[in-house]
Amino acid sequence: MAVSFSSAAKAEICRGFPQKKCCAVAQCFGILLYCNCFTAESIRIITESREFGQMIPKLFRKAFSLQFDVLPEEDASGKLVFQMTDRSKIETIMRAYGFSPKDTLALHVNLPVVEEDCCRGAFLRGAYLAGGSVTDPEKGYHLEMTTTHASVSRETYALMQEVLGFYPKSAPRGGGQVLYIKQSDKIFDTLTYLGAPVSA
């Protein structure tokens, strides 16, 4: 089966594994804020990327010394589902990001987690791997990242301007918030920054 351009870009990004624990924590933060579900009851990450699927358990082990409660089968095809439902594990993760599971969660980018330059890059890589895609340049120029949390989208918007030097565009879509880039040179810069220079 042919690998899509977007899948190839994600595979390339996954070749860079965070060496420092602070970066692993920041990358997990990006994943959690852009994944399918991050609540006090459940964490659920769904991906079709094999490479990202191989990275997820290692990343959470490095960041939190925790394992997922549900992992995809070894030979699973299609979508890979990673799930955590153990309340104590979720509480450990939430506290690492300054959230209390007992509060009504209004998720946002907790700035101390992305204070260092290396951690900002790790956070954006996680956000892109969990909630991003890029169109094959032969068909058009479009890179996007989608989250269901409006405040997370606004804060990522500011973060991207800080590290990349330009603002993405922003638009609501189906209950979520999309950050997107349509200029080829800016997509090039973004993919290079995220760790996919070959795709760029």
Side-chain angles (χ1 to χ4, degrees), residues 31-45:
I31 291 167
L32 290 164
L33 293 179
Y34 279 80
C35 74
N36 303 78
C37 177
F38 178 33
T39 67
E41 289 78 38
S42 174
I43 289 171
R44 190 167 64 257
I45 304 164

Side-chain angles (χ1 to χ4, degrees), residues 102-120:
K102 293 178 178 63
D103 295 339
T104 304
L105 267 178
L107 294 178
H108 62 92
V109 179
N110 198 346
L111 294 178
V113 180
V114 293
E115 201 166 359
E116 301 297 326
D117 287 345
C118 57
C119 294
R120 285 183 197 140

Side-chain angles (χ1 to χ4, degrees), residues 20-81:
K20 296 196 286 188
K21 182 174 177 177
C22 62
C23 293
V25 170
Q27 192 157 329
C28 287
F29 199 26
I31 291 167
L32 290 164
L33 293 179
Y34 279 80
C35 74
N36 303 78
C37 177
F38 178 33
T39 67
E41 289 78 38
S42 174
I43 289 171
R44 190 167 64 257
I45 304 164
I46 301 174
T47 182
E48 290 184 2
S49 165
R50 307 283 114 190
E51 293 79 9
F52 183 38
Q54 287 164 4
M55 176 191 255
I56 290 168
K58 295 178 195 166
L59 206 51
F60 277 77
R61 268 200 307 274
K62 185 174 180 85
F64 307 109
S65 302
L66 291 175
Q67 294 183 343
F68 283 85
D69 300 316
V70 177
L71 290 164
E73 297 289 329
E74 289 271 331
D75 56 351
S77 58
K79 291 183 177 176
L80 308 175
V81 181

Side-chain angles (χ1 to χ4, degrees), residues 33-34 107-109 123-124 145-160 167-172 176-180:
L33 293 179
Y34 279 80
L107 294 178
H108 62 92
V109 179
F123 173 84
L124 289 173
M145 298 195 313
T146 307
T147 177
T148 53
H149 313 290
S151 55
V152 168
S153 191
R154 279 195 304 273
E155 289 154 350
T156 307
Y157 174 91
L159 193 62
M160 287 176 78
Y167 287 113
K169 296 272 196 302
S170 178
Q177 197 68 27
V178 183
L179 297 176
Y180 65 94

